[in-house]
């Protein structure tokens, strides 16, 4: 693995290796405080971001490395018409590794084709967000102690939510996972996920429209935001938006060891009253994002050093 | 109707009826300075009717990926001194490079000039190709 563009680029062994390293970092933070000394991470964010960019920068700083970059296309040469290819070639002269977010789908993959240094996809439009997927996997592993044998409910916008698609694809390689897809019919997962992931791999899944009917079955619930702009008419949005608010009442039906995940940002789909419930993992999940990015930076720099 | 046999060149047989002009265009046969015969709706025991293309040019490198993508049932015969010296069966190519353009407006290929348009075969049965950048199907 030279770059990380799509979570499915990683074999199960590579995922396990990154997650194990992340756990080792968590348990031995001081041992890693200088492993990237003298190395530079460039964060090229052609599109604004809060958590992802800051967690990449925090990750590199905790490894003893330095950070350079920009946080919007407005403050880069993209405004002068520079191509992505040229930006990547130039930044490769200054940095040892690049984390890149771009509004165009596939931009980091193209960056990887022309780059002399490792590229990490930090989100490309509505397409992929593999470091969020690694974050989700680390969170599931730490909360459940395993990445197989559970029932996961994915709730909300399953059509446009890139984190959901990446997570389904990544988890499809692990055994005995049952998927319950909770969404309005307007926001169901795309057909290709059904045919090319679930049906092709003989994976058990079910599509439902309310949380209540499945809550007691779930070991994990992965919440996402229902986005108003995705609906063709306001009435449908108003009708459906409150269906997917996870609150204390719905949690009464849930297992005692349910894990509640959310890639954040949250709007109102998880009541703030749930935050103090020990089953709420989403802020721990955000912290895991930093550790998994530390593990990924170390892994990619080591791999680059071997070439 | 009779078209003379060629001495040295290529015959593309068993083209699905109606697709010969697409093959002609996509293989850029209009750029050749040799004779090219296009036969449409030729009677066929196997297919009912079919199209045939004859290219009267020796040493012509055919893009088999383009052909396989357009119509994998085509039979390619290489003719030398009036004899068929080789028959090639086509398959759906695993990868298409600069044969089709991605139509997804959100794809990086819509703005980056130097980028090659690459599609990968993801579902052979249903002939689904996906853009390697954005994964949109063709």
């Amino acid at each position: 693995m030279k770059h990380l563009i799509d979570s499915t680029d990683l074999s199960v062994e590579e995922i396990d290796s990154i997650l194990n390293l992340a756990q080792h970092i968590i348990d031995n933070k001081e041992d890693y405080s200088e492993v990237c000394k003298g190395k530079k991470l460039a964060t090229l964010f052609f599109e604004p971001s809060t958590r992802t960019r800051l967690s990449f920068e925090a990750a590199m700083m905790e490894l003893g490395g330095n950070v350079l970059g920009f946080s919007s296309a407005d403050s880069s040469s993209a405004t002068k018409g520079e191509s992505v290819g040229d930006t990547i070639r130039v930044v490769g002269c200054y940095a040892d590794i690049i984390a890149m977010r771009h509004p165009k789908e596939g931009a980091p993959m193209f960056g990887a084709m022309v780059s002399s240094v490792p590229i990490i996809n930090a989100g490309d439009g509505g397409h992929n967000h593999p470091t969020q997927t690694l974050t989700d996997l680390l969170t599931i592993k730490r909360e459940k102690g395993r990445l197989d044998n559970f029932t996961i409910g994915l709730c909300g916008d399953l059509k446009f939510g890139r984190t959901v698609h990446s997570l389904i694809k990544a988890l499809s390689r692990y055994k005995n996972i049952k998927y319950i897809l909770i969404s309005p019919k307007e926001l169901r997962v795309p057909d290709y996920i059904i045919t090319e992931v679930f049906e092709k791999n003989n994976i058990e899944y079910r599509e439902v429209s309310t949380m209540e009917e499945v809550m007691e079955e779930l070991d994990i619930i992965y919440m996402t935001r229902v986005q108003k702009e995705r609906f063709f008419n306001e009435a449908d949005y108003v009708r459906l938006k409150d269906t997917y608010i996870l609150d204390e009442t719905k949690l009464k039906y849930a297992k005692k060891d349910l894990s509640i995940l959310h890639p954040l940002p949250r709007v109102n789909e998880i009541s703030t009253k749930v935050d103090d419930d020990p089953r709420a993992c989403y802020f721990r999940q955000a912290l895991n994002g930093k550790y998994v990015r530390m593990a990924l930076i170390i892994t990619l720099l080591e791999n680059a050093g071997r070439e | 109707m009779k078209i003379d046999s060629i001495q040295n060149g290529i015959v593309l047989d068993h083209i699905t009826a109606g697709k010969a002009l697409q093959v002609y265009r996509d293989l850029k046969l209009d750029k050749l300075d040799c004779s090219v015969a296009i036969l449409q709706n030729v009677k066929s025991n196997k297919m009912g009717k079919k199209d045939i293309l004859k290219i009267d040019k020796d040493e012509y490198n055919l893009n088999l990926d383009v052909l396989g993508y357009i119509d994998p049932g085509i039979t390619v015969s290489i003719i030398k001194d009036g004899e068929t010296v080789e028959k090639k069966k086509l398959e759906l190519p695993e990868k298409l490079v600069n044969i089709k353009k991605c139509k997804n407006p959100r794809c990086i290929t819509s703005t980056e000039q130097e980028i090659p348009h690459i599609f990968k075969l993801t579902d052979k049965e249903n002939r689904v190709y996906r853009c390697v950048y954005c994964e949109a199907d063709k």
Side-chain angles (χ1 to χ4, degrees):
Chain A
M1 175 185 45
K2 187 178 176 189
H3 311 279
L4 178 62
I5 305 303
D6 183 340
S7 57
T8 53
D9 292 344
L10 297 169
S11 64
V12 170
E13 291 74 24
E14 286 172 324
I15 289 175
D16 290 345
S17 165
I18 291 169
L19 301 188
N20 289 340
L21 178 56
Q23 187 59 52
H24 198 265
I25 293 169
I26 292 166
D27 297 335
N28 305 275
K29 293 185 186 76
E30 287 183 6
D31 293 351
Y32 290 88
S33 62
E34 292 195 349
V35 295
C36 286
K37 195 173 178 184
K39 298 285 185 186
K40 292 186 286 293
L41 165 76
T43 52
L44 309 188
F45 278 64
F46 294 86
E47 191 180 63
S49 150
T50 312
R51 281 160 307 282
T52 307
R53 183 172 60 84
L54 293 182
S55 75
F56 265 112
E57 294 182 358
M60 192 58 169
M61 287 174 191
E62 286 201 27
L63 294 169
N66 293 303
V67 178
L68 65 161
F70 51 83
S71 57
S72 83
D74 295 343
S75 52
S76 78
S77 286
T79 54
K80 298 174 191 166
E82 185 175 54
S83 68
V84 171
D86 283 358
T87 304
I88 295 294
R89 288 182 186 100
V90 169
V91 173
C93 301
Y94 308 139
D96 301 284
I97 186 166
I98 294 171
M100 172 184 179
R101 169 168 288 194
H102 198 283
K104 288 287 183 186
E105 298 173 6
M109 177 173 220
F110 176 58
M113 289 163 73
V114 300
S115 178
S116 56
V117 299
I119 299 273
I120 302 171
N121 181 1
D124 55 338
H127 185 217
N128 276 318
H129 194 357
T131 60
Q132 180 64 49
T133 304
L134 286 172
T135 301
D136 299 340
L137 294 175
L138 178 63
T139 304
I140 292 170
K141 193 171 182 193
R142 294 192 73 203
E143 299 291 334
K144 294 294 176 206
R146 63 187 188 277
L147 283 172
D148 50 19
N149 294 296
F150 55 71
T151 298
I152 182 168
L154 298 132
C155 179
D157 176 3
L158 308 187
K159 183 175 185 181
F160 300 101
R162 61 187 172 191
T163 58
V164 169
H165 305 162
S166 290
L167 182 59
I168 290 173
K169 284 193 258 181
L171 283 176
S172 69
R173 275 101 54 91
Y174 293 88
K175 285 180 185 170
N176 200 22
I177 299 176
K178 190 172 147 191
Y179 298 80
I180 299 183
L181 310 169
I182 310 159
S183 71
K185 64 179 188 304
E186 295 88 341
L187 295 175
R188 283 182 179 169
V189 290
D191 288 344
Y192 85 91
I193 296 279
I194 300 286
T195 56
E196 292 178 24
V197 182
F198 292 136
E199 291 176 355
K200 191 174 173 183
N201 297 303
N202 228 0
I203 290 170
E204 189 179 344
Y205 75 97
R206 200 160 101 228
E207 291 184 290
V208 300
S209 55
T210 66
M211 298 165 82
E212 288 88 339
E213 64 188 290
V214 295
M215 193 54 97
E216 63 184 15
E217 295 177 53
L218 304 177
D219 298 302
I220 299 163
I221 185 161
Y222 192 91
M223 295 295 298
T224 62
R225 190 161 50 98
V226 174
Q227 298 167 86
K228 187 179 178 182
E229 62 272 23
R230 306 298 188 193
F231 285 83
F232 288 113
N233 74 66
E234 177 93 14
D236 280 347
Y237 170 70
V238 171
R239 177 171 55 84
L240 294 163
K241 69 182 174 69
D242 293 339
T243 314
Y244 302 110
I245 294 176
L246 183 61
D247 55 21
E248 293 161 301
T249 311
K250 291 192 182 82
L251 278 174
K252 279 181 188 161
Y253 304 102
K255 288 183 180 174
K256 299 283 179 230
D257 64 347
L258 173 75
S259 299
I260 307 165
L261 274 68
H262 192 305
L264 304 179
R266 160 180 64 177
V267 180
N268 71 337
E269 59 277 8
I270 301 177
S271 163
T272 52
K273 289 181 182 166
V274 174
D275 293 356
D276 293 330
D277 190 309
R279 293 173 289 186
C281 306
Y282 31 93
F283 294 121
R284 295 196 290 277
Q285 188 180 356
L287 180 60
N288 288 335
K290 181 183 71 176
Y291 293 121
V292 95
R293 289 178 177 105
M294 289 169 78
L296 182 63
I297 290 168
I298 292 171
T299 303
L300 290 176
L301 285 175
E302 276 180 3
N303 290 351
R306 279 194 209 106
E307 287 185 356
Chain B
M1 185 177 166
K2 192 168 163 55
I3 304 286
D4 286 344
S5 299
I6 52 174
Q7 284 300 302
N8 292 293
I10 299 164
V11 175
L12 306 180
D13 199 356
H14 304 112
I15 302 172
T16 303
K19 280 198 171 178
L21 283 175
Q22 187 190 350
V23 173
Y24 181 81
R25 276 194 304 268
D26 289 354
L27 286 177
K28 299 186 170 53
L29 299 181
D30 55 323
K31 307 283 185 224
L32 298 178
D33 59 358
C34 63
S35 305
V36 177
I38 304 171
L39 288 85
Q40 290 186 294
N41 298 321
V42 178
K43 276 186 188 164
S44 160
N45 290 334
K46 198 168 76 177
M47 302 169 72
K49 53 183 183 175
K50 63 180 180 180
D51 290 355
I52 301 172
L53 272 169
K54 295 187 177 187
I55 306 162
D56 191 6
K57 186 176 177 67
D58 203 5
E59 310 275 317
Y60 175 61
N61 278 332
L62 210 57
N63 188 334
L64 294 178
D65 283 350
V66 172
L67 270 186
Y69 171 66
I70 300 170
D71 192 349
I74 294 174
T75 310
V76 180
S77 300
I78 310 294
I79 314 293
K80 297 255 185 217
D81 301 324
E83 301 287 329
T84 302
V85 293
E86 190 183 354
K87 280 204 172 199
K88 294 180 182 175
K89 287 205 86 176
L90 300 176
E91 285 191 357
L92 275 180
E94 288 294 322
K95 197 158 103 169
L96 302 173
V97 181
N98 291 330
I99 292 171
K100 288 282 167 189
K101 287 196 169 182
C102 183
K103 291 176 183 163
N104 176 6
R106 299 181 302 277
C107 180
I108 184 66
T109 54
S110 67
T111 51
E112 199 79 2
Q113 283 185 9
E114 61 175 304
I115 195 164
H117 288 248
I118 306 172
F119 284 80
K120 270 192 176 170
L121 181 63
T122 58
D123 182 348
K124 199 170 180 179
E125 200 178 319
N126 296 309
R127 298 192 60 181
V128 177
Y129 282 89
R130 292 194 179 281
C131 171
V132 297
Y133 304 100
C134 70
E135 293 182 270
D137 55 12
K138 65 177 173 66

